[in-house]
Amino acid sequence: MTTATLPAARSSRSGPVKPRWTFGGTASAVGAVILAVVWLVPLLWALDTSLKPEPETTRAPITWLPEAPTADAYRSVIDQGDLIRWFFNSTIVSVLVTTLTLIVSVLAAYGFSRTKFPGRKVLFGLIIAGILVPPQVLIVPLFQEMTGLGLVDTYWGMVLPQVVAPVMVFVLKKFFDGISRDYEDAARVDGASRWRIVWSVMVPMSRPILVAVGIFTFIGAWNNFLWPFIVTTDPSMMTIPVGLANVQGSYGLRYAQIMASAVLGGLPLLIVYALFQRHVVRGVGDAGIKG
């Protein structure tokens, strides 16, 4: 009798758990929905305006939806502007910044995490102190340095100053600190060098956090306006954010074309985030757990 009733009791306990209503959970859900709406309204408004004929964008009263949706603004921006060239420049700069930042940050973080040398703590403290320095303070000396090296209006002039990322070094070091040294010891017993340990042991084990760091770096480089604006004067070398400011100045009050340029400029970021969203969430979670 006992053996017949026990499985039934277990089955009732292991069934689906009904969510229990709590005031805190409901308030959090309502707050999240409100924040999502606040975040989405400007994006939907930009998309809505970009699909309107130009006269409708300044009509009073405001029309919330386009009466006759059209892609004329997108065709005008692509035909009249240098949007394709700005896309190409932003892609080159963002890919180079992301690749070099990952390489430099991984090597620096591994060095601080796994090697001991005189002044290690002081040097790491100075790097962390770099987080507190506003980037605007470094604009003038960086521009003088790029001018002296002849890198104004070049890709390297836009890329090299953005490679320095103290935050990424700090995040990767904390992640490396959480990896057991037994893996390195096993690789060292097999005759692996430090370079081999870094690229064949540490990097594969840190793939989620590296993907997250890479995506955040790519987004930051793609959206960076100030430094590319300072170091470029040739319209053919402008990136998307700088080019959009140029479009706004050239087209005056043509809001449909301005919004079409903004939508096209932000589209690659949405695609990149949609493709790697799972890795970003996992990487941030792992960094939070092990950091």
Side-chain angles (χ1 to χ4, degrees):
M1 187 66 181
T2 304
T3 55
T5 55
L6 186 58
R10 288 179 177 176
S11 175
S12 63
R13 292 179 182 178
S14 61
V17 179
K18 295 182 179 179
R20 190 175 56 180
W21 182 88
T22 60
F23 178 78
T26 304
S28 300
V30 173
V33 171
I34 293 175
L35 290 177
V37 171
V38 171
W39 184 79
L40 282 174
V41 165
L43 300 179
L44 296 177
W45 181 255
L47 179 62
D48 174 74
T49 304
S50 69
L51 296 175
K52 292 179 179 178
E54 199 64 53
E56 191 180 344
T57 59
T58 55
R59 183 186 302 171
I62 297 175
T63 57
W64 296 102
L65 295 175
E67 296 177 353
T70 176
D72 288 345
Y74 291 93
R75 282 193 288 268
S76 298
V77 169
I78 294 175
D79 293 340
Q80 299 175 13
D82 297 323
L83 200 63
I84 303 301
R85 178 68 187 183
W86 298 336
F87 261 109
F88 178 77
N89 293 339
S90 286
T91 303
I92 293 294
V93 171
S94 301
V95 169
L96 286 175
V97 169
T98 303
T99 304
L100 294 178
T101 299
L102 283 174
I103 293 174
V104 172
S105 299
V106 166
L107 294 178
Y110 179 80
F112 284 115
S113 177
R114 289 297 198 263
T115 60
K116 294 183 179 180
F117 53 88
R120 180 172 65 99
K121 293 184 178 179
V122 174
L123 185 58
F124 185 67
L126 291 175
I127 291 178
I128 298 305
I131 300 174
L132 305 177
V133 179
Q136 293 80 1
V137 175
L138 304 175
I139 289 295
V140 174
L142 280 177
F143 182 75
Q144 292 176 339
E145 186 178 355
M146 293 299 109
T147 303
L149 295 174
L151 296 179
V152 175
D153 278 333
T154 65
Y155 290 129
W156 289 116
M158 288 186 279
V159 168
L160 292 179
Q162 299 187 64
V163 172
V164 181
V167 176
M168 304 307 176
V169 175
F170 174 77
V171 170
L172 290 177
K173 178 188 179 299
K174 298 298 289 183
F175 191 87
F176 289 164
D177 288 343
I179 297 178
S180 174
R181 292 178 180 271
D182 293 342
Y183 297 104
E184 288 182 79
D185 294 338
R188 196 170 289 113
V189 169
D190 291 338
S193 63
R194 281 201 179 274
W195 287 103
R196 185 64 181 271
I197 291 174
V198 171
W199 301 117
S200 300
V201 178
M202 302 299 285
V203 169
M205 295 184 67
S206 309
R207 189 172 300 166
I209 188 65
L210 291 178
V211 172
V213 168
I215 290 177
F216 287 134
T217 305
F218 184 89
I219 293 175
W222 186 277
N223 288 330
N224 191 359
F225 171 79
L226 182 59
W227 178 245
F229 177 74
I230 295 294
V231 82
T232 57
T233 57
D234 185 356
S236 65
M237 291 301 298
M238 291 179 178
T239 56
I240 283 289
V242 182
L244 289 180
N246 190 47
V247 168
Q248 186 173 0
S250 301
Y251 295 158
L253 297 177
R254 296 183 180 178
Y255 293 112
Q257 295 185 7
I258 295 173
M259 293 302 173
S261 302
V263 171
L264 292 175
L267 196 58
L269 295 183
L270 293 176
I271 295 174
V272 169
Y273 186 77
L275 290 176
F276 298 100
Q277 179 183 8
R278 184 179 59 182
H279 298 284
V280 172
V281 175
R282 182 182 174 189
V284 173
D286 288 352
I289 293 173
K290 297 184 179 181

